[in-house]
Amino acid sequence: MNKSAATSADVADLAGVSQSAVSRAFSPGASISAKTREKVLKAADALGYRPNALARAMISGRSRLVAVLVAYLDNQFYPLALEQLSRALQARGYQTLIFMTETGNQDVVVQKMLQYQVEGIIMLSAELSSSLASECAATGTPVLLFNRYVPGLPASSVTSDNLEGGRQVAHHLADSGHTRIAFIAGQENSSTSRDREAGFCKGLAERGMTPVARAVGGYTFDGAARAARELFAKPDRPDSVFVANDHMAFAVMDVLRNELRLRIPQDVSVVGYDDVPEASWGGYDLTSVSQNLGEMIQATIDILMSQIDRQHVKRKAAIIPARLVARGSARMPGGST
Amino acid sequence: MNKSAATSADVADLAGVSQSAVSRAFSPGASISAKTREKVLKAADALGYRPNALARAMISGRSRLVAVLVAYLDNQFYPLALEQLSRALQARGYQTLIFMTETGNQDVVVQKMLQYQVEGIIMLSAELSSSLASECAATGTPVLLFNRYVPGLPASSVTSDNLEGGRQVAHHLADSGHTRIAFIAGQENSSTSRDREAGFCKGLAERGMTPVARAVGGYTFDGAARAARELFAKPDRPDSVFVANDHMAFAVMDVLRNELRLRIPQDVSVVGYDDVPEASWGGYDLTSVSQNLGEMIQATIDILMSQIDRQHVKRKAAIIPARLVARGSARMPGGST
DNA sequence: CTGAAAGCGCTTACAG
DNA sequence: CTGAAAGCGCTTACAG
C-alpha cells in the first residue's frame, strides 16, 4: 500500500549489484564483503529502502509474529502482563499480534491467528477449548496459558504457586486471631481460583480450621460485590475473607465499608491475590499475594522460544513462587491492629 | 512453520479444480459457481486448509494490519482504549499489531511497523516526533494520535474536548464556593494537559478568578504525589485542586488523606480527568471528566478507515464532547457537602 | 564473495 | 464461470 516503496531490486539497480546481494546486506551473518554491503547500504539509504517483513516471512517460513489472545483488560494484572510480554517479545525480535476474544468467537479468532502464521500463541485471561488446543498442536504452533493451567491440554502454562499462595493467606489470617474465615471464589472452572482455594483450605486445616462461608464472585467487580453482600449481610458474619483476586477484593472492600459500614480491618480483614498496583494505593492498602510478574514473563518467553526453536516440543508447566505482602486491610499476626 | 500446512494447490488437486478456483472460493464476491465453491470447500475442509494471510497480503498489497504504538499501560485509560480499539479493528477485518515504546527506541519501532506493511498507525500514550510522522506520511501510511494532538504534524487525531472539560471543572469548583483553586499538570508538552489547563483557567476567569497555585505531576503516580506535597504542605494551602488526569488524582488523594491528614472533600476538593473505572470505586469516589471512550474509538476507526481507503487523504482532527461526573471527592455547587 | 534462478502461497488481469 | 500465467518481494541453495 506504500506509494511505491523501494524494493530490493531497486536498491540493487542503484548500487550496481545483484538483488541477492541486497538481501545479504540485510541478513546478519550472510556472506558478503564489507565493500558490497557498504554500497548496498548507501543505495538503500538513498532510496529509503526497508525490507518487507511479510515477504521475508513468506519465503523463510518464519513470521516472527506471536499472538496474544486476551479476554479482558479491566483487571490491571493483565494490561501489565501484556505490556511486559510485548516488550520481552520485541527484545527477542518478535512482534505481538493482539486478539480480543469474547465467549463464542474464540474459534474464529484462533483461525485468524493461524492464518497470519503466528509462531506461538499466548493465552491471557482467556479460555482455551480442547478442540482449539489440538488444532494448534496439529499445525505445530505452541500454545502457552498465562496465569492458567489446564491439565489435559497440549499447551504449556505459567502460573504463580497458587496453592502455596493460598496457604500463606490462610496462615496469615489464622495466626492473627481470626476465627470466622471466609472465601470468595473467582471463576469456578479456573485453575487459579481452584488452586488458591485448595491451598487456602489446606492452610486452614493445618491450623485446625475450615472456612466458615464461601461465595462466588466470578472474577468480576459486580459479581464480587454481590458475593460480599451474600456473605456479610447476615448476623453471624465472617471476621475475615480471602478474595481470589485483587480486582474482586476492591469491590468487596467497597461493599463492606460503604454499604455495610464495617471497618477494615477492625471489623473484617480482607486479603486479595495478584498485588496489582492499586493494592498498594492508600484508598485500599490491600494485603495481597504478589505473583512476581517479572519471573512469570521470563518463564513464558523462555518456554515459548524453546518450543518455537523446537528445542522442546513437549508442553512445559512453570510454577513461580508467590509471596504474601502484608498491608493494612488485614490484622497482622502478633499485632494489635 | 506448520508441519506442512495444506496450500491452495493441494486443495485444488483434491477438488479437481484449478488453484485460481480455490482462491475464488475464499474471496467473497469472486465470480465462481456454487457447485465449484462447494467442491472446493469440501476439499479444503478435508485438508484443514486455511488461507495464508501473509501471502494474501503480499499479492494484494493489503496487510489488514494496523499498528498500535503504546508507551505505557499503567493508566487504566489506555488498556481500556486498547481493548476497544482492538475489538473495533477486528470487527472491521483488521488485526492489531502492538508495539511498546520507550523514549529513545521510537525510531526502531516505527521502522518495524513499516516493515510489516501496516496500513495504519495509532499512537496511544506515545509521542510522535515530526521526523517519524513525515516518514510515515511519505510511505502513505496514515497516523492517528489518540488522546493527543500535535498541530504541525501530518497526523490525524482524536481527543476529548479538553478545553471544555477543563472549563466545566473550573465552574464546578468555583460555583461550590472554593476560593483557593490549584492545578496539577501532567506532561507540560502534552496537548491534553495544556488544553485542560487552558480551559480551566478560562473557566475560572469567567468567574473572576485565577488559580492560586500550580505544580507539575508529569502524568506519573509518584510525580503527582510530589506535586501534591509541594502544593499542600504549606500553611496557606489551596482548598481544591484540579488534577490533569485520574491516575495522578489518586496519588494526590493518597497524599492528602494519609500523609497530610486532610479530609476530602471537607478540607480539600479534588477533581480528576478521564473517569477511569477506579474513579467510581468507593475508595476514591472521584469527581472527574468523562472522556466518552466509545465515541473516541468510533471516531478513530472512522478516520483511519477512510484514510486507508483513500477517501480522505488529508489529516482530520476529531474532538469528542466530554462531561463532568460529579462524585464525592469535591464539594458540590449549592450543596452543603 | 557473488549472481542467476527457483520458489514461498497467494490474487488477479487475461483469454476463452 | 474457469484456467494458465504472471507477479508480490523476498531468501536460499547452487554454481562459479
Side-chain angles (χ1 to χ4, degrees):
Chain A
M1 66 255 56
N2 297 352
K3 279 171 177 168
S4 61
T7 70
S8 57
D10 300 333
V11 176
D13 285 351
L14 182 60
V17 300
S18 73
Q19 184 265 331
S20 328
V22 177
S23 175
R24 290 190 182 102
F26 285 92
S27 316
S31 72
I32 184 173
S33 69
K35 190 166 304 178
T36 306
R37 159 175 287 131
E38 206 152 320
K39 274 196 294 188
V40 170
L41 260 31
K42 182 175 296 181
D45 209 53
L47 262 35
Y49 171 69
R50 237 182 318 267
N52 184 321
L54 266 25
R56 171 176 289 173
M58 274 257 53
I59 193 70
S60 68
R62 304 212 50 180
S63 66
R64 297 276 169 190
L65 251 24
V66 168
V68 177
L69 185 59
V70 183
Y72 50 88
L73 288 176
D74 47 355
N75 172 355
Q76 187 66 357
F77 181 69
Y78 291 110
L80 296 176
L82 175 61
E83 170 173 347
Q84 293 197 34
L85 226 30
S86 179
R87 287 192 197 281
L89 250 13
Q90 250 174 255
R92 296 276 202 142
Y94 283 81
Q95 305 315 134
T96 307
L97 212 39
I98 180 174
F99 292 81
M100 299 299 312
T101 181
E102 39 215 296
T103 41
N105 78 337
Q106 241 227 66
D107 205 275
V108 179
V109 168
V110 171
Q111 296 306 324
K112 264 276 176 269
M113 291 180 173
L114 296 174
Q115 285 179 25
Y116 272 92
Q117 314 299 118
V118 299
E119 297 190 44
I121 297 175
I122 299 172
M123 312 285 296
L124 211 63
S125 73
E127 311 287 320
L128 179 67
S129 72
S130 68
S131 65
L132 284 178
S134 37
E135 186 156 2
C136 294
T139 68
T141 311
V143 177
L144 187 146
L145 306 174
F146 188 87
N147 203 31
R148 193 151 308 212
Y149 178 77
V150 183
L153 259 40
S156 291
S157 66
V158 173
T159 59
S160 77
D161 193 340
N162 291 300
L163 242 4
E164 177 57 23
R167 187 163 161 268
Q168 284 179 34
V169 173
H171 291 174
H172 188 73
L173 289 175
D175 297 348
S176 318
H178 297 92
T179 55
R180 300 183 48 75
I181 309 182
F183 177 72
I184 293 179
Q187 291 177 190
E188 291 274 34
N189 65 342
S190 80
S191 65
T192 47
S193 186
R194 281 200 316 259
D195 288 353
R196 287 166 195 177
E197 180 168 17
F200 181 63
C201 291
K202 178 159 178 273
L204 286 184
E206 289 165 358
R207 295 292 188 269
M209 303 174 77
T210 55
V212 295
R214 176 184 195 280
V216 178
Y219 280 144
T220 69
F221 202 80
D222 292 344
R226 277 192 297 273
R229 289 182 200 109
E230 181 185 332
L231 248 40
F232 288 90
K234 41 186 186 184
D236 228 21
R237 58 164 178 76
D239 61 10
S240 55
V241 59
F242 172 34
V243 189
N245 75 3
D246 288 355
H247 189 67
M248 293 198 298
F250 300 131
V252 170
M253 289 180 73
D254 282 359
V255 168
L256 294 181
R257 292 193 293 204
N258 303 331
E259 286 185 27
L260 305 177
R261 302 294 157 192
L262 294 167
R263 293 166 307 161
I264 296 172
Q266 295 87 339
D267 299 325
V268 182
S269 286
V270 178
V271 179
Y273 203 109
D274 281 349
D275 194 24
V276 295
E278 290 96 328
S280 65
W281 289 5
Y284 293 92
D285 198 30
L286 176 66
T287 294
S288 186
V289 178
S290 169
Q291 293 236 52
N292 200 341
L293 184 53
E295 276 188 42
M296 289 177 73
I297 299 292
Q298 189 59 58
T300 298
I301 300 296
D302 288 349
I303 292 175
L304 204 63
M305 291 298 130
S306 72
Q307 288 192 121
I308 286 175
D309 296 340
R310 292 283 180 274
Q311 292 171 355
H312 291 281
V313 182
K314 312 298 303 171
R315 59 195 293 272
K316 214 169 167 177
I319 297 175
I320 310 298
R323 73 167 214 295
L324 187 134
V325 178
R327 295 204 183 86
S329 69
R331 298 201 300 278
M332 310 237 188
S336 49
T337 322
Chain B
M1 70 251 59
N2 298 353
K3 278 170 179 168
S4 60
T7 70
S8 56
D10 300 333
V11 176
D13 285 352
L14 182 60
V17 300
S18 72
Q19 184 264 329
S20 328
V22 177
S23 175
R24 292 193 182 100
F26 284 92
S27 316
S31 71
I32 184 173
S33 69
K35 190 167 300 177
T36 307
R37 160 176 285 132
E38 205 152 322
K39 273 197 294 187
V40 170
L41 260 29
K42 181 176 295 180
D45 209 55
L47 260 37
Y49 171 71
R50 235 181 320 265
N52 184 323
L54 265 25
R56 170 175 292 175
M58 276 257 52
I59 194 68
S60 67
R62 305 213 49 178
S63 66
R64 297 277 167 187
L65 252 24
V66 167
V68 177
L69 184 59
V70 183
Y72 50 87
L73 288 175
D74 46 357
N75 172 355
Q76 186 69 354
F77 181 69
Y78 291 110
L80 296 178
L82 175 62
E83 171 174 344
Q84 293 197 34
L85 227 29
S86 180
R87 289 193 196 279
L89 251 13
Q90 250 174 255
R92 296 275 203 141
Y94 283 80
Q95 305 314 135
T96 307
L97 211 40
I98 180 174
F99 291 82
M100 299 299 312
T101 180
E102 40 214 292
T103 40
N105 78 336
Q106 241 228 61
D107 204 275
V108 180
V109 168
V110 172
Q111 295 306 325
K112 266 273 176 272
M113 291 180 172
L114 295 175
Q115 285 180 25
Y116 273 93
Q117 314 299 115
V118 299
E119 297 189 45
I121 298 176
I122 298 173
M123 312 286 294
L124 210 65
S125 76
E127 310 287 322
L128 179 67
S129 72
S130 68
S131 64
L132 285 178
S134 37
E135 187 155 359
C136 294
T139 68
T141 311
V143 177
L144 187 147
L145 306 174
F146 188 88
N147 203 30
R148 193 150 309 213
Y149 178 76
V150 184
L153 259 43
S156 291
S157 65
V158 173
T159 58
S160 77
D161 192 341
N162 292 299
L163 242 3
E164 177 57 23
R167 189 164 158 266
Q168 285 179 33
V169 173
H171 292 174
H172 188 74
L173 289 175
D175 297 348
S176 319
H178 297 91
T179 55
R180 301 183 48 75
I181 309 182
F183 177 72
I184 293 181
Q187 290 177 190
E188 292 273 32
N189 65 342
S190 80
S191 65
T192 47
S193 185
R194 280 200 317 259
D195 288 353
R196 288 165 194 177
E197 180 169 17
F200 181 63
C201 290
K202 178 159 178 272
L204 286 184
E206 288 165 358
R207 296 293 188 268
M209 305 174 76
T210 55
V212 295
R214 177 185 195 278
V216 179
Y219 281 144
T220 69
F221 202 80
D222 292 345
R226 277 193 297 274
R229 288 182 201 107
E230 183 185 329
L231 248 39
F232 288 90
K234 41 187 185 185
D236 227 22
R237 57 165 179 75
D239 62 12
S240 55
V241 60
F242 172 34
V243 189
N245 74 4
D246 288 353
H247 189 67
M248 293 199 298
F250 301 130
V252 170
M253 289 180 73
D254 282 358
V255 167
L256 293 180
R257 291 193 294 205
N258 303 330
E259 284 184 27
L260 304 177
R261 300 294 157 193
L262 294 167
R263 293 166 308 162
I264 295 173
Q266 295 89 339
D267 299 325
V268 182
S269 287
V270 178
V271 179
Y273 202 110
D274 282 348
D275 193 25
V276 297
E278 290 96 326
S280 65
W281 289 5
Y284 292 92
D285 197 30
L286 176 65
T287 294
S288 187
V289 178
S290 169
Q291 295 235 51
N292 199 339
L293 185 54
E295 276 189 39
M296 289 178 72
I297 300 292
Q298 190 58 56
T300 299
I301 300 296
D302 288 348
I303 292 175
L304 205 64
M305 292 298 130
S306 72
Q307 289 192 121
I308 287 176
D309 297 342
R310 292 285 179 270
Q311 293 171 351
H312 290 281
V313 182
K314 311 299 303 174
R315 59 195 292 271
K316 212 170 172 177
I319 297 177
I320 309 299
R323 72 167 214 293
L324 188 135
V325 179
R327 296 203 183 87
S329 69
R331 298 201 300 279
M332 309 232 187
S336 51
T337 324

